[in-house]
Amino acid sequence: MKTQKRLGILTSGGDCPGLNAVIRAVVSHATLTYDWQVIGIPYATQGLLERQAMPLHMHSFDLRGIDPLLNMGGTILGTINKGNTLACMDDIVASYQALELDALIGIGGDGSIAILSQLALHGNWQFIAIPKTIDNDVALTERSVGFDTAINTITDALNRLTFTAASHDRVMVVEVMGRAAGHLALHSGIAGGADVILIPEIPYSMQAVCRHLAELRDRWQRRFAIVVVAEGIHPAQDATYLANQKPSCGRGQYIADCIAKFSTYPVDTRVSVLGHIQRGGIPSALDRLMAAAFGKTAVDLIAKDQSNQMVAWQNGRVVAVPIEQSCRQSPLGVDPCSDLVQTARALGIYVGE
Ligand code: F6P
């Protein structure tokens, strides 16, 4: 009976720091512990469709004995976050067979995991998912690979902006990623000393934002402020001014314009849109640990003949959860009653409502 597996691995959806560390962990464990072959599939399902295969070996990327995968951002496999994969299901299944894969590990966010899982059921593949996303909105895992590094990147930006804001008595509006979920804005806003944090899950009032900034100034003599805005917030109900904004106007600019317009004293605002800087960079120590633990467990699940499971971080442990259950509850936003929201408010941060 054949015991040496041919294990495929791919990265799908938007990139984030820590993907290469996951690939490294999977290749190391699959090779050292199980003596399996690991085949990288470039560009996710597109590469699968095109029958592209990239054999991965331990140390195949070493530079003078130094393994760069541990701290390299992005993904050496490349990735895609668009396309109509489900329209070519049969062709992808045929390609999977042609590549003679015995199992597949897919590293992705909620959207990618759902699609890969459908393909796996259709093709009867053995499939394990590893959650990654700077948005941290995959349900049933407290953490996804990439989230911690992105929080650190934003927190660093907020630290830098605080000094220039204070020097010029300005209100700095910082737009961060998060179309459906405000975890990034909430975590980094608290860590980076924000005065206002606006997230998609909690409605905000422009009047309350301006009142809060005025109080900082009048009561506490704080002449500058830091306002963190998630890109997916919804327009304020009480701001008629915004009806005239062009749809292309980002939410950060929108909020800055409103603050300047509705404040009862002159306010000098500046806007920083952090954009894809949040997706780049060297993975943090925590993301590398998550990558190692998730990669190791995913390989063990394959060895135990498990399928359609996602590795997840719960209560300080790596566990396996049915993909279908996670997909049903994803994307998972911030709970408006959570401890973190209450903490932010207790520290005097305006978080909406
Ligand atoms: O899903 C992760 C994410 O980082 C979102 O927060 C952001 O809106 C989106 O990706 C941007 O993706 P793209 O690479 O298509 O610009």
Side-chain angles (χ1 to χ4, degrees), residues 266-339:
V267 183
D268 195 14
T269 60
R270 290 290 186 277
V271 180
S272 294
V273 179
L274 297 188
H276 292 77
I277 288 173
Q278 297 158 93
R279 294 235 298 254
I282 295 175
S284 67
L286 182 55
D287 272 335
R288 295 182 205 192
L289 287 171
M290 299 305 306
F294 280 172
K296 184 255 177 206
T297 306
V299 171
D300 286 340
L301 287 169
I302 301 269
K304 288 179 194 150
D305 289 327
Q306 297 286 308
S307 191
N308 258 296
Q309 303 282 310
M310 180 185 84
V311 295
W313 186 254
Q314 291 180 358
N315 303 316
R317 298 191 56 208
V318 185
V319 296
V321 297
I323 288 179
E324 193 235 324
Q325 266 181 34
S326 169
C327 287
R328 232 184 295 131
Q329 298 173 47
S330 297
L332 190 67
V334 171
D335 173 359
C337 304
S338 67
D339 285 350

Side-chain angles (χ1 to χ4, degrees), residues 87-125:
C88 349
M89 263 185 149
D90 290 331
D91 293 334
I92 293 175
V93 166
S95 297
Y96 182 92
Q97 275 157 5
L99 288 171
E100 297 181 334
L101 298 176
D102 297 305
L104 182 73
I105 290 180
I107 313 164
D110 63 312
S112 297
I113 291 176
I115 290 170
L116 288 167
S117 163
Q118 278 193 58
L119 278 168
L121 290 171
H122 187 65
N124 199 21
W125 308 344

Side-chain angles (χ1 to χ4, degrees), residues 14 81 133-135 177-179 231 276 279:
N81 62 357
T133 163
I134 66 164
D135 295 336
M177 281 186 170
R179 278 176 300 199
E231 64 184 339
H276 292 77
R279 294 235 298 254

Side-chain angles (χ1 to χ4, degrees), residues 45-46 49 80-89 92 115 119:
T45 47
Q46 187 60 38
L49 183 64
I80 50 165
N81 62 357
K82 49 176 104 57
N84 192 2
T85 301
L86 295 179
C88 349
M89 263 185 149
I92 293 175
I115 290 170
L119 278 168

